[in-house]
Every structure is written in C-alpha cells, then in structure tokens.
Amino acid sequence: MPDDALSLTFSALADPTRRALLARLAAGEATVNELAEPFDISLQAVSKHLKVLERAGLITRGRTAQWRPCRLETAPLTEASAWIERYKAGWDGRFDRLEDELRALQEQAHEKGNNDEQD
C-alpha cells in the first residue's frame, strides 16, 4: 500500500463511500453515528472508511469528552488539486495548439476550395 501523501489521498478518494463521507463533512463536523446514518452499511464499515480517510490526512477526530467529532482537513485536497492542475495546464496548452492547427488546416482547405472553383 502506498504511503506518500498524494497516493494516500487519491487512494482514499477512489471509493464513493469515502467521497460521500467527505462531502458530508464539508458541511460541518459530525460523529461516526451521524456519518453512518445515510449508508446501508455497518457502523464498523463506516469506521474502516474513516480510518482510511484519517490515515490520508483528509479528516481528523476530535476528543471532547465522549463526543469524538470528525472534521474535514482540506490540505490534502488542496495538494491533490494542485497536482492535477499542473497536468491540466499542460493539456490545456496542447489542446489550444491542436485547435490552432486544426483551424489553420480548415482555412487552407477553404482557400484551396475557393481557388479550385476559380480555375
């Protein structure tokens, strides 16, 4: 199992249940029981998902007496987004150049068609 931060983040985000848990925590902290409510899985399964999210640094768990709320931690998401954005910028540039090239080819074809009509 990977242990670098970015791999842990993407691995944690690969599961739809974990993404749903993060989406719920984006609205505010919640207990494990509150997080488990909408899911048709055991409390133990939800706890396992939360451990994966916690290991990836995507959540933290508070310790207020008996109440242990889970909180979203956005730093790993920011790092993952920045990593994706670097590659997106490169691809956007490539697509822009491709679009320019295709436009030039279309203009050449159009000019050739006009020249053929005049001959």
Side-chain angles (χ1 to χ4, degrees), residues 17-29:
T17 300
R18 290 193 286 268
R19 290 192 305 270
L21 290 166
L22 290 176
R24 166 54 187 88
L25 289 172
E29 61 185 39

Side-chain angles (χ1 to χ4, degrees), residues 92-111:
D92 285 347
R94 289 182 180 124
F95 286 131
D96 289 344
R97 288 190 299 278
L98 176 61
E99 183 178 11
D100 292 343
E101 189 64 28
L102 292 173
R103 189 175 297 117
L105 289 171
Q106 287 175 331
E107 289 173 4
Q108 288 174 355
H110 181 70
E111 288 174 9

Side-chain angles (χ1 to χ4, degrees), residues 2 8 27 29 34 38 47-48 53 58-59 68 89 93 100 108 118:
L8 289 171
E29 61 185 39
E34 290 169 337
S47 289
K48 285 183 181 183
L53 293 171
L58 291 163
I59 67 165
R68 290 184 41 129
D100 292 343
Q108 288 174 355
Q118 292 175 358

